[in-house]
Amino acid sequence: MKGGILRCRIKSVSATLILWAVIAILLLMYYGSAVTKDWNSSELSYSKLDSQESQRDIREPTQARSSEVRRIVYIRIPKTGSSTMTMLVWRFAWARNLSVLAVNPKFEGTRDRLTHKMFFLPPPGQKYDVMAEHVLYNKESFSNYLAEDAVYVTMLREPFSLLYSTLYYVPAFQKTITEVNKIEAYLKNPAKYDNTAIMAGRSYTKNPQSSFLGLRRRDFDNEGKIQELISSIDRDFPVVLILERLDESLILLRRVLKWPMKDIIYSVENVNSAKPKLKITPEHREKYKKWSLADHKLYNFFKKKLEESIEEAGPELQEELAVFRKYKMDIARYCRFQTIMDEDMLFTESPYNERFSITRKDCSLIYVEPLVLISNIRKRQHAYPFLSPSL
């Protein structure tokens, strides 16, 4: 009797396993055909690379590689989408074996001026090609360690949005402002929290963007000094990206740096989705504008400049933007389903890019955690007595 029951149970389990196996096969067939159908109906052409093409490096066209700007310094301002942009810079450097000034882990987050104690010094007579770190902008100190022909880039965020993100992200504000509506509590007495979570004598909540770009605390309300800062950044930075218009910013940056389209494909990093939705009034915004005057002037200037550049570029930029967004969407989809479709993705030539491929390795680089990538960069650079020479 017991043997009969056992045999029935075994048959039942076997039938269940077979059923699940059939379901899994049907799902794979469905998703595989759906993805293939979607690719084939796309305006772009995707195909598996044949054996001859796979022997050649088609990911970085020779012309683009010879003319692209390879020395770049990204001033990484906290909570401005900086992790996303940093990954682009690091990924570009990794793919080309460029030397990267990577701050020693024990100094990460100090947000202080760059000093020789923070990183491995380059070999005598050499300088780093690339940097993307949370350090205060000071071109004189940077020139000691970074290539003199490096292009300087930064990204700004609408100041009130930045405040919102900061109050719900920085641990110090989680402890000192216990109210659910931290914005309202902060604006009742902003001076009370100005020294909370101090970073190198600067404030996280009063003109933090201007501070990172060199405005001294004593000049926060000095309109003459604020204008000097704006003029110096306008002179030294060929492109200032705006987070709220990131895609357009990247297209303009790509034109300056002459990077292939592939190298500005990004995934959004380090997003705080736990922020509550609050009722924000015009009075809240006006009060913060008076308190953080420099950041508002800085942001408004460069936002206007970006919008003027977009308008001057005309329909061609909008066409390039549409191509870029389609590539970005299709690459995200490919990377999501790459385990099903075991083939490289080939993008045909367009007026805005030479053809290139996306592989599993590319997906890994696009979606890898920032700390993992910079750790690998450190290991590669400092596994030997000297850095690889600049290319």
Side-chain angles (χ1 to χ4, degrees):
M1 184 68 177
K2 289 182 179 179
I5 294 173
L6 181 59
R7 281 192 295 274
C8 288
R9 287 181 177 174
I10 291 173
K11 288 180 180 179
S12 177
V13 171
S14 298
T16 302
L17 290 173
I18 291 171
L19 177 61
W20 278 111
V22 171
I23 292 172
I25 291 169
L26 289 173
L27 285 172
L28 285 171
M29 292 174 63
Y30 171 78
Y31 280 115
S33 63
V35 172
T36 304
K37 181 180 179 182
D38 203 18
W39 286 0
N40 291 337
S41 64
S42 172
E43 294 176 3
L44 303 175
S45 173
Y46 311 112
S47 67
K48 187 172 182 178
L49 301 180
D50 60 37
S51 57
Q52 182 179 1
E53 297 233 340
S54 64
Q55 313 249 336
R56 297 189 292 111
D57 182 6
I58 67 171
R59 292 177 296 169
E60 297 174 24
T62 304
Q63 183 179 1
R65 293 183 63 163
S66 63
S67 61
E68 67 190 17
V69 173
R70 293 193 165 194
R71 295 187 172 104
I72 180 170
V73 177
Y74 173 56
I75 308 303
R76 188 178 174 184
I77 303 173
K79 306 311 298 172
T80 60
S82 62
S83 294
T84 299
M85 184 60 195
T86 295
M87 281 298 294
L88 287 185
V89 174
W90 284 345
R91 200 175 82 217
F92 179 86
W94 174 266
R96 290 154 178 80
N97 197 27
L98 304 178
S99 59
V100 179
L101 192 161
V103 171
N104 189 300
K106 71 178 182 179
F107 289 105
E108 283 180 353
T110 57
R111 297 169 173 83
D112 207 341
R113 287 180 182 273
L114 188 67
T115 70
H116 68 278
K117 297 178 181 179
M118 293 181 174
F119 55 91
F120 292 104
L121 290 174
Q126 293 190 36
K127 293 186 179 182
Y128 286 102
D129 299 312
V130 172
M131 186 185 77
E133 295 283 356
H134 283 308
V135 291
L136 304 180
Y137 173 60
N138 183 285
K139 197 164 185 180
E140 185 177 351
S141 66
F142 285 4
S143 64
N144 293 325
Y145 314 111
L146 292 154
E148 295 186 11
D149 60 347
V151 172
Y152 283 74
V153 177
T154 194
M155 182 152 62
L156 302 177
R157 181 177 184 176
E158 192 281 315
F160 195 90
S161 173
L162 175 57
L163 173 70
Y164 198 158
S165 181
T166 299
L167 293 181
Y168 286 93
Y169 180 84
V170 177
F173 294 112
Q174 302 292 324
K175 295 178 181 178
T176 56
I177 307 179
T178 57
E179 292 88 338
V180 174
N181 192 330
K182 296 183 186 294
I183 295 283
E184 194 166 84
Y186 170 84
L187 290 174
K188 285 179 181 177
N189 189 0
K192 175 182 177 182
Y193 303 105
D194 189 34
N195 291 322
T196 299
I198 272 293
M199 53 177 182
R202 285 150 169 85
S203 171
Y204 265 96
T205 52
K206 184 174 184 178
N207 301 317
Q209 300 180 94
S210 301
S211 291
F212 258 84
L213 294 174
L215 186 68
R216 296 179 180 274
R217 192 181 182 90
R218 64 172 180 260
D219 297 324
F220 274 2
D221 300 306
N222 185 325
E223 295 207 28
K225 293 294 183 181
I226 294 171
Q227 190 54 52
E228 284 182 19
L229 171 74
I230 292 172
S231 297
S232 67
I233 298 302
D234 190 33
R235 181 181 63 249
D236 295 341
F237 290 60
V239 177
V240 173
L241 296 86
I242 297 295
L243 178 62
E244 289 75 17
R245 306 207 58 180
L246 178 56
D247 286 357
E248 293 94 332
S249 296
L250 287 173
I251 294 297
L252 292 173
L253 179 67
R254 187 181 91 84
R255 293 180 173 191
V256 171
L257 301 181
K258 300 178 183 177
W259 283 9
M261 180 79 78
K262 174 179 177 178
D263 289 294
I264 63 168
I265 299 295
Y266 67 90
S267 65
V268 177
E269 303 288 342
N270 203 19
V271 176
N272 181 10
S273 58
K275 297 192 299 288
K277 292 184 178 180
L278 304 175
K279 183 179 180 180
I280 305 300
T281 67
E283 289 75 18
H284 289 146
R285 294 184 179 278
E286 187 59 29
K287 186 168 186 178
Y288 185 60
K289 182 178 179 180
K290 291 178 180 178
W291 176 250
S292 194
L293 178 66
D295 268 14
H296 282 81
K297 286 183 173 291
L298 178 76
Y299 176 82
N300 290 338
F301 177 88
F302 285 106
K303 180 180 178 232
K304 181 181 179 183
K305 183 175 180 180
L306 177 74
E307 290 171 344
E308 289 173 350
S309 297
I310 293 170
E311 188 173 349
E312 288 173 7
E316 185 182 353
L317 185 138
Q318 297 305 319
E319 292 171 5
E320 184 175 353
L321 183 64
V323 170
F324 169 61
R325 285 175 170 164
K326 183 164 182 56
Y327 284 2
K328 188 169 53 144
M329 178 182 66
D330 291 332
I331 289 170
R333 182 174 53 205
Y334 165 78
C335 289
R336 190 179 306 121
F337 291 112
Q338 59 170 308
T339 54
I340 297 173
M341 303 301 293
D342 188 17
E343 59 183 17
D344 295 344
M345 187 182 214
L346 179 63
F347 289 80
T348 57
E349 184 177 356
S350 84
Y352 310 105
N353 60 276
E354 296 189 23
R355 67 176 176 175
F356 65 93
S357 67
I358 293 292
T359 66
R360 288 188 177 191
K361 182 178 178 181
D362 293 319
C363 290
S364 298
L365 282 172
I366 292 170
Y367 292 99
V368 70
E369 287 291 325
L371 288 178
V372 173
L373 181 54
I374 194 61
S375 294
N376 279 279
I377 288 173
R378 287 193 186 100
K379 288 176 184 176
R380 183 168 73 178
Q381 289 187 168
H382 305 298
Y384 306 97
F386 298 102
L387 294 174
S388 299
S390 300
L391 301 180

